[in-house]
Amino acid sequence: MSAIDELMRTAPVIPVIVIDDVAHAVPLAEALVAGGLRVLEVTLRTTAALEAITAMKQVPGAIVGAGTVTNPRELDAALAAGSEFIVSPGLTEPLGKAAIAAGVPFLPGIANAGDIMRGMDLGLDRFKFFPAMASGGLPALKALAAPFGNVRFCPTGGIGPDNAAEWLAFDRVLCVGGSWVVPKGAPDKAKVEALAHEAAALR
């Protein structure tokens, strides 16, 4: 089992986290881990993200990675902050080669067969299907997955508590990514932990 495969099988949902204030990072991570979601994707969409990754790594049980990594420079910054895995919205050869060379678990985004084939040429077989709902939803993923028997997916984008179970029922889906377990603003730890428990119980 590859490192990224193991991470994808840790819990049915990977929280997609946007941190605006570093002070929110640790309480959020504590609540998510307590609720059963240990694999945490912090998106590099804010200036606080890298510092938040470093802070969240101090939380026992948390496996913290960077999302929205789009080039080798961002990859280096994410690794320097302590990221244990890397998620990208897409796949380019420079980023793919840099992630493989770094030896870090890497989950690149794909939306079509050409993306998957480019990833497979690099030796990758675990992908984020993104944006999942806008790219045709579950029917599109089922059609896309059919020619690629060894490939497994983490759909992200438009997935919430109302449709996550349907995605997870497809045997080629190992987990889903979602932001619904992390409401915006200062974390209400009890609420986040309850949402995480519900998400962790999805299968």
Side-chain angles (χ1 to χ4, degrees):
M1 195 183 290
S2 70
I4 191 64
D5 187 87
E6 205 171 322
L7 285 174
M8 291 169 76
R9 293 176 188 273
T10 301
V13 178
I14 295 178
V16 178
I17 304 165
V18 179
I19 296 272
D20 292 305
D21 184 344
V22 176
H24 299 166
V26 169
L28 199 52
E30 288 173 342
L32 289 165
V33 170
L37 301 182
R38 297 175 51 223
V39 179
L40 312 178
E41 176 191 336
V42 180
T43 65
L44 300 190
R45 297 180 191 181
T46 68
T47 54
L50 292 171
E51 202 179 333
I53 288 168
T54 305
M56 285 175 151
K57 278 201 55 167
Q58 312 311 311
V59 175
I63 303 165
V64 187
T68 325
V69 175
T70 61
N71 57 54
R73 182 179 47 79
E74 290 176 351
L75 171 72
D76 290 344
L79 293 175
S83 297
E84 295 170 82
F85 63 95
I86 298 294
V87 183
S88 176
L91 175 60
T92 64
E93 198 170 317
L95 177 59
K97 286 183 170 175
I100 290 163
V104 64
F106 178 48
L107 191 65
I110 60 90
N112 57 54
D115 291 343
I116 293 173
M117 290 161 67
R118 190 180 313 117
M120 290 174 73
D121 284 346
L122 292 169
L124 304 167
D125 60 8
R126 298 292 181 265
F127 300 103
K128 172 168 102 162
F129 179 50
F130 177 81
M133 292 303 290
S135 298
L138 187 54
L141 181 60
K142 286 182 174 178
L144 197 52
F148 306 107
N150 294 327
V151 172
R152 298 293 181 270
F153 301 93
C154 173
T156 305
I159 295 175
D162 53 337
N163 64 356
E166 190 183 352
W167 286 90
L168 289 163
F170 179 35
D171 63 355
R172 305 288 290 280
V173 168
L174 298 184
C175 60
V176 299
S179 55
W180 81 89
V181 289
V182 191
K184 284 198 180 351
D188 175 339
K189 287 186 73 172
K191 183 179 181 183
V192 172
E193 186 175 338
L195 288 168
H197 269 298
E198 288 169 14
L202 277 168
R203 66 155 169 242

